[in-house]
Amino acid sequence: MKTVTIYRINETDRTIDIAQSVNQDNESVRAAILNARTFTFDEILRQHLAFCDKEALVENCRNRFLSALHIGRSVPVNADDMLAGFTAENGENIFLRGMMTAAHELYDGERTALSTPNDVLLATLNKSRIQAEISAKINTFFDSNFAAVGDAAYFECGQKLNAFSVIPSETVIFCDDYTFSAFRVCDNCLTNLLFELGQIVHRNALSPRKCGFCGKMFLGIEEEVCCRQASCQAAHKEQKEAIYKEHTEEYSQIKRTYDAFVRRYDGYLKAAGINARCPAEYDEFCQAKEVRKAEMNSLKKRLIRNGLPTDELYEMGEKFKAEIRAIAEGIMEKCGNK
């Protein structure tokens, strides 16, 4: 029996439903869909990182198939112990399980030429040649699939994908009462799934990032500092509120000092009658004052919203003070004797 893997990506929720059926009939596929497992994009990322880090385990799996091929007429291979050992240490890994499933089905399908040949005598005489041909297919499978599945560019918007081709997948439409679901068929190694997910990652400029609260890897844009777990989101919100409370008074003090400075020079101009005698020049001062006021307010809001230090606001305030002083003194010098 051939395993069929199907999946459905929900980009809005950032989740992927994955199901496997050991038969291709409708009832088997229907049962698989009803029992589909849901993974978040972040879980898929972490499983992919773990898979890419286990090339030695994949090599051991390859060697087990190659060794079994040369025992008698070839013997069945059970790699469940290797998968169980990995799962116990690292948790579930859909990529490793998928590759082992695909490798197992390839091996079982090819070794029938030795294990149950149509012509026993011919198979015996050509045993070495048949074993070499099957070995070549197994090696090609592991080489090509580990390279295709293990590409980090799927989850890194700044990287380019290596060139490879995949046969277009079929679509499975599942209807249950008032619910319609469209699943796509992919190879057991999940290459199709990775390609589609990679499109989403690159389109949304996502990259692997480390959560500043739980320490786990997640997919996010450059500005994000925590994953989407509720506990991390809550902790991040508390941190931002704490920083906001700590720095708000300091932000406000810098802004009050700047506003007082501007008012002082505005008062100088009014005391000299510049607003009445040289309205055009006074309007120039007022426009310059309002433009800088808007920039100061915008920066203050951004710093508070992101819980950033006040250095940038202080530096802008000092720069604007110098500019306001120069504008006011220039107007006084120009209009003072009129």
Side-chain angles (χ1 to χ4, degrees):
M1 292 184 291
K2 183 174 176 57
T3 303
V4 179
T5 302
I6 56 177
Y7 69 95
R8 174 179 59 184
I9 295 179
N10 188 325
E11 186 172 351
T12 303
D13 293 341
R14 297 179 66 156
T15 59
I16 304 176
D17 298 324
I18 301 176
Q20 279 193 333
S21 169
V22 294
N23 290 314
Q24 297 189 41
D25 59 86
N26 288 339
E27 285 304 313
S28 180
V29 172
R30 171 187 169 86
I33 291 175
L34 291 173
N35 292 284
R37 293 188 58 185
T38 301
F39 300 89
T40 66
F41 284 8
D42 295 344
E43 289 172 331
I44 296 294
L45 165 67
R46 292 193 286 268
Q47 290 196 28
H48 188 260
L49 290 172
F51 171 77
C52 294
D53 192 44
K54 298 298 179 181
E55 185 173 1
L57 183 61
V58 175
E59 282 300 307
N60 289 340
C61 182
R62 180 212 301 254
N63 292 333
R64 180 172 293 192
F65 283 115
L66 293 176
S67 298
L69 180 65
H70 292 80
I71 299 176
R73 289 186 180 177
S74 82
V75 297
V77 173
N78 187 346
D80 290 345
D81 58 332
M82 296 177 63
L83 191 59
F86 177 90
T87 303
E89 182 179 349
N90 303 278
E92 171 70 8
N93 194 291
I94 57 174
F95 300 105
L96 185 61
R97 181 180 294 278
M99 180 162 285
M100 287 190 173
T101 298
H104 196 278
E105 291 184 351
L106 170 66
Y107 175 78
D108 276 352
E110 292 294 333
R111 77 184 186 91
T112 55
L114 291 171
S115 59
T116 55
N118 294 326
D119 189 323
V120 176
L121 178 60
L122 190 62
T124 301
L125 293 174
N126 293 282
K127 180 180 177 181
S128 296
R129 180 182 59 79
I130 296 172
Q131 287 174 330
E133 290 174 352
I134 298 174
S135 294
K137 290 180 180 180
I138 292 173
N139 283 322
T140 298
F141 167 84
F142 277 99
D143 291 339
S144 60
N145 281 279
F146 190 81
V149 176
D151 196 332
Y154 294 114
F155 297 95
E156 177 58 74
C157 64
Q159 291 192 32
K160 293 182 179 179
L161 284 166
N162 293 326
F164 68 92
S165 60
V166 177
I167 297 174
S169 57
E170 302 172 358
T171 300
V172 176
I173 306 298
F174 173 70
C175 175
D176 185 21
D177 295 332
Y178 301 102
T179 302
F180 296 86
S181 300
F183 284 75
R184 296 181 67 80
V185 179
C186 69
D187 60 314
N188 290 325
C189 292
L190 306 179
T191 315
N192 310 60
L193 183 156
L194 280 170
F195 178 75
E196 190 174 346
L197 181 57
Q199 289 181 310
I200 295 172
V201 168
H202 285 248
R203 184 170 64 246
N204 292 281
L206 303 176
S207 292
R209 305 186 63 80
K210 188 173 184 179
C211 178
F213 296 90
C214 68
K216 295 179 179 178
M217 298 299 294
F218 72 98
L219 274 174
I221 57 177
E222 186 177 355
E223 295 81 7
E224 288 184 288
V225 297
C226 79
C227 66
R228 283 175 160 70
Q229 288 189 109
S231 57
C232 295
Q233 291 285 329
H236 187 216
K237 182 179 179 181
E238 287 182 12
Q239 184 189 69
K240 290 175 67 175
E241 289 175 349
I243 294 173
Y244 174 87
K245 291 177 181 178
E246 178 183 350
H247 293 292
T248 296
E249 180 56 35
E250 191 175 353
Y251 296 131
S252 299
Q253 182 58 46
I254 293 173
K255 185 66 169 52
R256 283 195 297 268
T257 301
Y258 172 76
D259 290 342
F261 181 89
V262 175
R263 284 195 301 270
R264 185 162 68 250
Y265 276 89
D266 192 7
Y268 292 160
L269 295 177
K270 288 179 178 178
I274 300 298
N275 56 323
R277 292 186 295 108
C278 302
E281 284 75 6
Y282 182 72
D283 284 346
E284 177 190 339
F285 174 82
C286 290
Q287 290 175 14
K289 176 181 70 174
E290 290 303 316
V291 168
R292 287 160 178 79
K293 178 182 177 180
E295 288 192 40
M296 287 286 287
N297 284 331
S298 176
L299 177 59
K300 177 184 173 183
K301 290 178 181 178
R302 182 174 69 82
L303 295 177
I304 289 177
R305 184 172 61 249
N306 294 284
L308 299 174
T310 58
D311 297 354
E312 191 176 348
L313 187 66
Y314 176 79
E315 291 171 3
M316 178 180 280
E318 292 302 303
K319 175 176 177 289
F320 285 173
K321 283 179 184 179
E323 293 173 354
I324 289 293
R325 181 189 297 112
I327 292 171
E329 290 176 349
I331 292 174
M332 288 288 287
E333 184 178 345
K334 179 180 179 180
C335 303
N337 298 321
K338 287 186 180 180

